[in-house]
Amino acid sequence: MEMFLSQKCKKFKRVCETGRIFKQRKVYMDVSKTAKKIKEMEIRGAGDIARATAKALKHTAEKSNATSVDEFKEEINKSKKILLNSRPTAVSLPNSIRLVTKNLDRYSDIEGARSNIIKRADKFILRSKKSIKNLGEIGSNRIKDGDTVLTHCNSDAALSVIKEAYKTKKINVIATESRPRLQGKITARELAEHGVPVTLIVDSAVRSFMKNVDIVVVGADAIGVNGAVANKIGTSQIALAANEARVTFMVAAETYKFSPKTVIGEPIKIEERSEDEVWKDCPGGICIKNPAFDFTPPEYIDLISTEIGLISPHMSYAILKEEFDWSIEELKNS
Ligand code: RUB
């Protein structure tokens, strides 16, 4: 009889364990879906990537069936890893994780840890949206009535500056196509729907048009401690053409686009995407390179419009110090 009971007990335990693993897998399934969407660019643009990341961590916390705080922390850490592997250049992704999971180690009970993640994720998403609005208002003051603005790719931050300027000034926008994924078409459509006069040009036409441009406004995926800006491939060529024509070059970026790890010498990684994006049925014997981003050196950047004001790229260290309260030791170990 005793043996029979212990066998039943073991079976019951196995069923419970399988159920727990299944529920755990379900938690990761949601995070994996978000990571896949980011990788395949269904979710794209550094700000959207950051907000989707915060939302995915919030869902992990909400859905967790962990039975101990250590198990909960393990689930969050695993979710972090899945998300981190999705796209390498947008520093907004690790920054969003850093801000949402901050202080997690301090919690010794599941409910405390859970509500900390949920609150922080909501706060980050709200703050991110407010930042875009604020930097738009600030940056728009640099656009004058009658200006022609050139923008590249599709950036919510850059569009916020442009749309804010359009509220009170007559402006024209030139949007570049942004090969190979053609995000410039999203920008052109969005501006046209907003009523802003917009002209779409191919990327190679930038220098020809630069003589008609008053100000360039682009977004950022990451900004290094030296003030260099990583943004959609082609941005640095536009900066070069703007510099030659003495046209103001402004970057619109929330402060969570600054990269803390560059302070300790970690380089910003430029994502290399599939060659299929450039030429799907490419014949043999041809090598295709498809870097998604490039670096614009600080010398070519006049201003960065952030939610806490207009800054010179040379102020990057100060922004990093103010935004993220880290020590060098912490950065080395994170
Ligand atoms: C998008 C891109 C955008 C920045 C900033 O590249 O380079 O300029 O991400 O965007 P991709 P936002 O399409 O490859 O993601 O201001 O929306 O954060």
Side-chain angles (χ1 to χ4, degrees):
M1 179 68 175
E2 235 171 57
M3 210 173 99
F4 174 73
L5 271 179
S6 102
Q7 266 174 354
K8 272 211 139 181
C9 218
K10 271 187 193 156
K11 195 173 169 196
F12 179 69
K13 265 189 173 170
R14 265 206 311 273
V15 171
C16 287
E17 182 60 7
T18 315
R20 197 181 63 79
I21 291 172
F22 181 74
K23 278 179 185 161
Q24 224 181 31
R25 281 214 188 114
K26 201 160 175 286
V27 170
Y28 298 135
M29 233 157 65
D30 281 357
V31 169
S32 303
K33 262 191 208 161
T34 303
K36 189 167 179 267
K37 281 185 187 169
I38 293 174
K39 201 176 210 138
E40 292 173 356
M41 292 175 65
E42 197 179 314
I43 297 171
R44 49 147 299 280
D48 270 346
I49 290 173
R51 286 185 293 277
T53 298
K55 211 168 153 188
L57 288 173
K58 180 183 165 178
H59 284 169
T60 305
E62 281 172 342
K63 291 186 179 168
S64 169
N65 287 298
T67 49
S68 72
V69 73
D70 287 340
E71 202 184 303
F72 178 81
K73 287 178 187 173
E74 203 186 298
E75 282 181 6
I76 295 291
N77 282 334
K78 194 160 171 203
S79 301
K80 273 163 63 169
K81 275 193 198 128
I82 296 171
L83 290 160
L84 273 173
N85 285 334
S86 53
R87 273 193 101 181
T89 306
V91 76
S92 52
L93 197 164
N95 280 348
S96 156
I97 291 178
R98 181 188 286 266
L99 293 166
V100 172
T101 61
K102 200 175 163 193
N103 300 339
L104 184 61
D105 283 344
R106 289 191 200 159
Y107 288 87
S108 52
D109 64 301
I110 299 186
E111 285 323 310
R114 193 198 308 272
S115 81
N116 178 55
I117 297 276
I118 295 171
K119 265 193 224 143
R120 284 189 160 274
D122 285 339
K123 198 171 154 198
F124 177 80
I125 294 167
L126 198 73
R127 180 199 136 178
S128 161
K129 290 179 182 165
K130 265 194 194 158
S131 298
I132 296 174
K133 190 173 180 301
N134 289 347
L135 69 83
E137 284 166 6
I138 294 168
S140 70
N141 291 328
R142 293 304 301 250
I143 297 179
K144 298 183 298 301
D145 195 39
D147 272 0
T148 295
V149 184
L150 185 140
T151 189
H152 185 49
C153 194
N154 178 250
S155 154
D156 283 343
L159 282 172
S160 173
V161 173
I162 295 169
K163 285 181 187 167
E164 190 59 38
Y166 182 68
K167 280 184 188 167
T168 52
K169 296 156 201 169
K170 268 194 188 151
I171 56 167
N172 292 292
V173 177
I174 297 177
T176 53
E177 203 178 20
S178 312
R179 283 264 305 149
R181 297 289 296 238
L182 307 176
Q183 292 94 325
K185 288 187 179 175
I186 307 173
T187 296
R189 189 179 295 128
E190 195 173 330
L191 287 172
E193 279 169 6
H194 203 76
V196 184
V198 58
T199 306
L200 185 75
I201 60 168
V202 296
D203 301 321
S204 41
V206 163
R207 191 162 176 257
S208 301
F209 279 84
M210 196 52 84
K211 54 184 174 299
N212 306 321
V213 173
D214 299 288
I215 184 166
V216 175
V217 185
V218 295
D221 269 76
I223 304 174
V225 66
N226 63 349
V229 169
N231 192 49
K232 182 52 55 197
I233 192 77
T235 303
S236 67
Q237 278 178 192
I238 298 173
L240 202 61
N243 187 268
E244 180 198 41
R246 305 285 181 267
V247 168
T248 303
F249 188 92
M250 176 159 73
V251 174
E254 309 87 295
T255 48
Y256 58 80
K257 307 272 179 73
F258 287 77
S259 168
K261 286 255 181 164
T262 55
V263 173
I264 53 161
E266 196 175 292
I268 294 165
K269 208 170 154 198
I270 295 292
E271 178 185 7
E272 182 74 36
R273 293 191 62 87
S274 159
E275 50 193 59
D276 284 358
E277 289 185 348
V278 180
W279 192 352
K280 200 155 186 359
D281 301 308
C282 177
I286 299 171
C287 167
I288 293 176
K289 287 280 184 197
N290 184 19
F293 303 97
D294 65 18
F295 289 110
T296 301
E299 295 75 32
Y300 293 95
I301 300 165
D302 294 292
L303 302 155
I304 304 179
S305 183
T306 75
E307 72 276 18
I308 55 167
L310 280 178
I311 62 154
S312 141
H314 300 289
M315 271 180 69
S316 271
Y317 182 84
I319 294 287
L320 279 162
K321 205 59 194 150
E322 178 163 324
E323 177 68 9
F324 306 94
D325 64 3
W326 37 259
S327 68
I328 295 292
E329 254 348 275
E330 257 173 63
L331 283 180
K332 278 192 213 159
N333 298 324
S334 66

